[in-house]
Amino acid sequence: QVQLVESGGGLVQAGDSLRLSCAASGSFIVIRGMGWYSQAPGKQRELVASITSGGPTNYADAVKGRFTISRDNAKNTVYLQMNSLQPEDTAVYYCNADIRRIFSFNPYWGQGTQVTVSS
């Protein structure tokens, strides 16, 4: 079975940094796009950053210049380096991956990891 396991969240102060990790596991899987989404209390889940298997990235305007998404294809892992964190970044961050097990690609989600930034 395919699983996405996230780690790296926590409680930090404004200006601090965190690095989120998400590792996908499963036999004979092919991973296409990967990304990070955030969901603040009372708000919709929103794309933070995405990355293709080849490397091109996309970022939400609010995090450009502060966050960096990267991936290690050999480890089936995607990272989100979060610098200069601000209170408005507080949210649950979910890892997403487009994964093919047999024939078609389907989206998979991690359980979410809480990021809380205090002022």
Side-chain angles (χ1 to χ4, degrees):
Q1 185 64 267
V2 176
Q3 289 186 326
L4 271 63
V5 180
E6 300 166 320
S7 62
L11 195 157
V12 298
Q13 295 187 78
D16 286 351
S17 298
L18 285 173
R19 191 179 78 156
L20 307 183
S21 299
C22 174
S25 62
S27 299
F28 309 109
I29 61 172
V30 176
I31 305 176
R32 195 156 57 184
M34 303 185 82
W36 290 94
Y37 292 72
S38 66
Q39 188 165 23
K43 290 195 171 185
Q44 300 279 3
R45 190 172 299 185
E46 185 177 62
L47 175 69
V48 176
S50 63
I51 185 169
T52 68
S53 60
T57 58
N58 185 49
Y59 296 92
D61 289 341
V63 306
K64 287 181 179 177
R66 298 190 297 120
F67 293 5
T68 302
I69 188 170
S70 61
R71 64 191 288 172
D72 186 333
N73 291 334
K75 298 179 179 179
N76 289 334
T77 301
V78 63
Y79 306 94
L80 185 67
Q81 179 66 46
M82 310 167 72
N83 296 329
S84 301
L85 283 162
Q86 301 299 131
E88 52 264 35
D89 297 319
T90 296
V92 177
Y93 285 76
Y94 296 90
C95 173
N96 170 264
D98 197 23
I99 301 175
R100 176 173 63 81
R101 290 174 59 199
I102 302 176
F103 295 112
S104 61
F105 286 91
N106 295 107
Y108 290 83
W109 294 89
Q111 80 287 351
T113 183
Q114 178 71 47
V115 172
T116 302
V117 185
S118 65
S119 57

